[in-house]
Amino acid sequence: MRVVISQSMFFPWVGMLEQIRLADVFVHYDDVAFSKGSYSNRVQLKVASGVRWLTLPLKNVHMGQKIDEVLIQPPGNWSGKHRHLLQESLASATFFQDALDLYESVLGAHSNDRLSDIARSSTLALASYFNIQRQVQFVDSRVLCVAG
């Protein structure tokens, strides 16, 4: 049995999708401390001027707070900026509309503003889109009751 354990990432890099594809079990490990500068709430995009970050703005994060306790700011100015940045980055991509639809489906599906929920949803949406979720069992580390 192949097990992959990872903190949830907001629209994870292609290597994580490959790990999911090869796994029998994927464990979302979000009951650990959030690390500023991690990929839990941001993803890098290439644009004509270089590299830009698509970042979910966080609400009242404090040191030692667990990823599954971190909240994001309600959509407002940042959601429009995200859409504009995605359009700039992906406008000439073959599957531009698919990418935009995936992004909007993830953010639109949440009345809950927890970072871990949105990051997990983005991972699951990509796994579904690429049809790699069928053979993988997704597990939340909290249900495993492993201390330490």
Side-chain angles (χ1 to χ4, degrees):
M1 178 179 287
R2 296 167 297 212
V3 178
V4 173
I5 302 171
S6 178
Q7 296 168 9
S8 297
M9 293 177 228
F10 182 55
F11 287 100
W13 61 296
V14 70
M16 179 57 68
L17 297 175
E18 178 66 6
Q19 289 179 27
I20 292 170
R21 187 184 71 78
L22 296 172
D24 298 307
V25 176
F26 181 89
V27 179
H28 294 280
Y29 188 41
D30 294 334
D31 56 340
V32 293
F34 172 77
S35 175
K36 186 177 177 182
S38 72
Y39 292 93
S40 295
N41 70 313
R42 63 192 193 139
V43 63
Q44 223 175 38
L45 296 176
K46 291 182 182 180
V47 294
S49 61
V51 173
R52 299 278 307 274
W53 289 97
L54 190 71
T55 304
L56 291 172
L58 306 177
K59 187 190 314 186
N60 304 323
V61 178
H62 57 82
M63 194 162 157
Q65 189 172 10
K66 293 179 181 179
I67 294 169
D68 58 9
E69 299 169 342
V70 174
L71 302 177
I72 65 163
Q73 297 286 341
N77 289 343
W78 65 264
S79 60
K81 290 177 184 176
H82 278 195
R83 184 177 177 79
H84 177 73
L85 188 56
L86 282 167
Q87 288 172 331
E88 181 183 350
S89 175
L90 303 171
S92 63
T94 305
F95 297 100
F96 165 74
Q97 193 58 53
D98 289 0
L100 210 53
D101 290 347
L102 275 170
Y103 173 81
E104 291 181 354
S105 73
V106 167
L107 288 183
H110 288 281
S111 57
N112 186 338
D113 53 359
R114 290 199 184 280
L115 171 60
S116 61
D117 293 340
I118 292 171
R120 285 180 193 196
S121 288
S122 70
T123 299
L124 295 173
L126 289 172
S128 177
Y129 179 81
F130 291 112
N131 201 28
I132 58 175
Q133 88 291 354
R134 291 180 293 123
Q135 70 276 7
V136 182
Q137 178 186 0
F138 291 91
V139 177
D140 183 330
S141 63
R142 292 175 292 192
V143 302
L144 300 175
C145 300
V146 177

